[in-house]
Amino acid sequence: MATVDSGAVQQQLEQINAQIPESIAGRVTSAIVEVEASGAAPGLAPGEQAPEFSLPDALERSVSLRERVSGGPVVLVFYRGEWCPYCNAYLRALQAALPEITARGASLLAVSPQSPDHSLSITEKAQLGFDVLSDVDQAVIRAYKVQFTAPADLQDLHVKVFDADLRDHTANRSWQLPVPATFVIDRAGVVRAGRVSADYRTRMEPADIIAALDKLR
């Protein structure tokens, strides 16, 4: 049985939400609704074959999905970048759940559109024990159907309010990002469970990841 608390991650993310002024939160919500309505990033569905990839880790060593699934299931997570407090909270929660994940014979891979030096930064800051990979041209992000372009008002919000031009953070210097997504992939390379949502204020709970892994055993 999993010892990871159900709902624990969402409680942490709600604490971040509580710090955001209502006027800004409203603009964020509107942008999220716009992305959802566009249908730009539906993600892969359970039963679909996970596209193969090889991406550099924080030390620029190549990590292959094919190689990883040959040894057991893979939990594949797409996150926006180390500049995102929600993503950082989630990566730390995944690190806390890592012993439960590896105890089930699975490995964990996290992918962002940032360069390897940014991956190294978050790996060191959060003391992550799993691979953080860089999809610098976002080819893998597109293949997994999780890429979207930040709406105009969200761009304006980041530059003028958050003082953060995201083009300085994405390796291809674009306003394109992945919606937060988590996929549980079996040894045959097939997606068996997951969560994809344009609302970056929510994530797949580690307890749900572990439950999905238990179903594969």
Side-chain angles (χ1 to χ4, degrees):
M1 295 291 291
T3 59
V4 178
D5 292 338
S6 178
V9 166
Q10 194 54 44
Q11 291 178 11
Q12 296 177 40
L13 301 184
E14 291 294 345
Q15 292 175 6
I16 300 174
N17 289 339
Q19 301 172 24
I20 299 175
E22 190 173 329
S23 59
I24 294 175
R27 293 176 66 183
V28 168
T29 297
S30 295
I32 289 170
V33 170
E34 183 178 340
V35 174
E36 288 177 337
S38 74
L44 298 181
E48 289 193 74
Q49 190 74 28
E52 166 57 16
F53 63 79
S54 293
L55 290 174
D57 67 7
L59 298 177
E60 302 195 45
R61 299 170 300 198
S62 182
V63 175
S64 160
L65 177 65
R66 181 180 294 112
E67 180 180 340
R68 285 304 171 90
V69 297
S70 69
V74 169
V75 178
L76 177 62
V77 174
F78 290 91
Y79 71 101
R80 305 191 307 160
E82 65 163 341
W83 52 269
C84 171
Y86 296 91
C87 296
N88 292 337
Y90 191 49
L91 292 177
R92 288 185 170 91
L94 291 172
Q95 175 60 34
L98 189 60
E100 294 279 359
I101 292 171
T102 57
R104 288 155 174 81
S107 59
L108 176 60
L109 301 175
V111 177
S112 88
Q114 295 194 288
S115 59
D117 58 329
H118 286 286
S119 298
L120 182 60
S121 176
I122 185 59
T123 299
E124 293 177 339
K125 286 179 185 176
Q127 298 182 312
L128 303 179
F130 53 87
D131 288 308
V132 179
L133 310 180
S134 293
D135 185 13
V136 295
D137 61 2
Q138 301 198 29
V140 177
I141 291 169
R142 286 192 298 275
Y144 279 77
K145 303 178 184 178
V146 295
Q147 187 190 57
F148 76 102
T149 300
D153 189 54
L154 193 62
Q155 296 181 25
D156 183 76
L157 187 64
H158 274 281
V159 172
K160 296 181 180 177
V161 178
F162 300 148
D163 192 26
D165 189 329
L166 299 187
R167 292 171 295 184
D168 294 334
H169 295 276
T170 53
N172 66 354
R173 294 198 54 79
S174 76
W175 282 102
Q176 293 173 318
L177 297 167
V179 296
T182 301
F183 300 103
V184 177
I185 303 169
D186 68 14
R187 295 190 65 171
V190 176
V191 175
R192 291 303 179 192
R195 188 180 193 282
V196 180
S197 176
D199 189 348
Y200 58 82
R201 301 167 298 186
T202 65
R203 307 291 163 114
M204 186 175 185
E205 289 285 344
D208 294 333
I209 294 172
I210 292 164
L213 290 171
D214 281 339
K215 290 182 179 179
L216 298 180
R217 301 174 81 180

